[in-house]
């Protein structure tokens, strides 16, 4: 079965990352940086947190970005497009999976997560992962934006706050 394309979709250039090395007609490749690597870190809050990291190829010339996902996601949601894009622009980029999501399991015996626990986890993550001499830009998407605002409200030193 052949599926046609609308006139509008033919006018909009597509930006893709190449998985197979073959790009469809009209597509263009974005600048590549190191792919995001997956790690875990034991935080002083008791959480063994999953996170992803993409570093610029030529040192960290720009502010680090710490990405906080929204509901029903994990740090993985930033890895396909955003992390390599910002790393290619010179930003070290970190994306965490919040407590009780993805591969950041809930602490044993707990059935719910309180807002304050997410805030404490994010602050502990920043302290553990972001170099001490750099202030991060905290980026919160959707429900993660509320946690990002609460982290800023709690007095975490930040270079900036972005809510998506």
């Amino acid at each position: 079965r052949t599926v046609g394309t609308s006139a509008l979709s033919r006018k909009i250039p597509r930006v893709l990352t190449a998985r197979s090395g073959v790009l469809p007609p009209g597509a263009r490749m974005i600048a590549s940086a190191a792919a995001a690597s997956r790690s875990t870190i034991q935080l002083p809050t008791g959480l063994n947190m999953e996170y992803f990291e993409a570093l610029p190829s030529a040192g960290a010339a720009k502010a680090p970005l710490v990405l906080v996902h929204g509901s029903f996601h994990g740090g993985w949601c930033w890895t396909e497009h955003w992390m390599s894009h910002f790393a290619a622009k010179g930003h070290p980029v970190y994306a965490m999976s919040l407590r009780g999501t993805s591969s950041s399991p809930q602490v044993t015996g707990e059935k719910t997560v309180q807002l304050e626990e997410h805030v404490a986890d994010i602050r502990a993550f920043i302290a553990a992962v972001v170099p001490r001499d750099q202030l991060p830009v905290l980026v919160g998407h959707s429900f993660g934006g509320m946690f990002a605002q609460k982290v800023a409200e709690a007095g975490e030193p930040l270079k900036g706050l972005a809510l998506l």
Side-chain angles (χ1 to χ4, degrees):
R1 175 173 128 175
T2 303
V3 177
T5 58
S6 70
L8 178 61
S9 68
R10 286 192 299 269
K11 292 179 184 178
I12 300 172
R14 291 180 287 163
V15 178
L16 302 174
T17 56
R19 291 183 182 172
S20 64
V22 179
L23 296 174
R28 59 189 171 92
M29 179 70 95
I30 62 171
S32 63
S37 61
R38 180 188 174 278
S39 299
T40 58
I41 186 168
Q42 183 68 46
L43 298 177
T45 59
L47 177 63
N48 189 27
M49 179 179 270
E50 172 190 58
Y51 73 98
F52 299 85
E53 174 181 63
L55 300 175
S57 55
K62 296 186 179 177
L65 304 178
V66 176
L67 311 175
V68 184
H69 63 83
S71 297
F72 308 108
H73 282 80
W76 54 264
C77 73
W78 301 96
T79 60
E80 187 172 353
H81 301 290
W82 302 108
M83 293 184 76
S84 62
H85 172 78
F86 288 116
K89 303 260 184 226
H91 295 274
V93 187
Y94 308 95
M96 69 195 74
S97 293
L98 294 172
R99 180 183 296 247
T101 67
S102 197
S103 291
S104 290
Q106 180 62 291
V107 175
T108 305
E110 296 180 13
K111 296 191 188 276
T112 62
V113 181
Q114 302 299 314
L115 181 133
E116 296 81 16
E117 291 173 302
H118 283 313
V119 171
D121 290 340
I122 294 168
R123 294 186 79 189
F125 176 80
I126 291 170
V129 176
V130 175
R132 287 186 169 87
D133 62 338
Q134 298 178 1
L135 293 178
V137 174
L138 188 58
V139 179
H141 173 255
S142 190
F143 201 49
M146 180 182 65
F147 303 132
Q149 289 178 76
K150 290 295 187 180
V151 167
E153 184 180 86
E156 184 68 32
L158 300 172
K159 181 162 183 120
L161 175 66
L163 306 173
L164 310 176

